[in-house]
């Protein structure tokens, strides 16, 4: 079993910053990808940023404001969010594609979600 634990959400004023952290633990043989998604009330879950094979990609709405960083040795991924806007308000979810053995296929795992609220 693999568990993703997130931290770092909260309330911040527009223009402020927050840093989200996610740590994966458990029966991890290898991690193919790690990412952050978000889901605002009444909207579908959307991919915010993802890293895989040394490549990092961002949704257009956060480019230049958010930075994803991964520590492969620690199985962690952080999301530094700067210049936050009210439209960034959402529950943010950590995602990881994990192989639990040398012959296993990769499975998707999700964190429990952390609330980010941007409001004055």
């Amino acid at each position: 079993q693999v568990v993703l634990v997130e931290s770092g959400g909260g309330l911040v004023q527009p223009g402020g910053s927050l840093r989200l952290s996610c740590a994966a633990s458990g029966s991890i043989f290898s991690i193919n990808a790690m990412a952050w998604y978000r889901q605002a009330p009444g909207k579908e879950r959307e991919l915010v940023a993802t890293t895989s094979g040394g490549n990092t990609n961002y949704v257009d709405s956060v480019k230049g404001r958010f930075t994803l960083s991964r520590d492969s040795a620690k199985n962690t991924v952080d999301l530094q969010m700067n210049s936050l806007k009210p439209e960034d308000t959402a529950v943010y979810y950590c995602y990881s594609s994990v192989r639990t053995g040398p012959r296993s296929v990769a499975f998707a795992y999700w964190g429990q979600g952390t609330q980010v609220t941007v409001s004055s």
Side-chain angles (χ1 to χ4, degrees), residues 5-45:
V5 178
E6 302 142 337
S7 61
L11 172 65
V12 64
Q13 293 186 343
S17 298
L18 281 175
R19 188 177 184 89
L20 305 182
S21 296
C22 174
S25 62
S27 301
I28 298 172
F29 174 76
S30 65
I31 295 179
N32 292 350
M34 298 192 81
W36 284 95
Y37 285 72
R38 65 185 179 187
Q39 187 166 19
K43 295 187 177 181
E44 294 187 354
R45 189 172 297 188

Side-chain angles (χ1 to χ4, degrees), residues 8-12 18 20 114-118:
L11 172 65
V12 64
L18 281 175
L20 305 182
T114 185
Q115 178 70 47
V116 171
T117 302
V118 185

Side-chain angles (χ1 to χ4, degrees), residues 4 7 11 17 24 26 29 47-48 58 61 70 88 93 104 106 113 116:
L4 303 183
S7 61
L11 172 65
S17 298
F29 174 76
L47 176 63
V48 176
Y58 302 89
S61 61
R70 175 179 172 183
D88 295 317
Y93 296 91
S104 72
V116 171

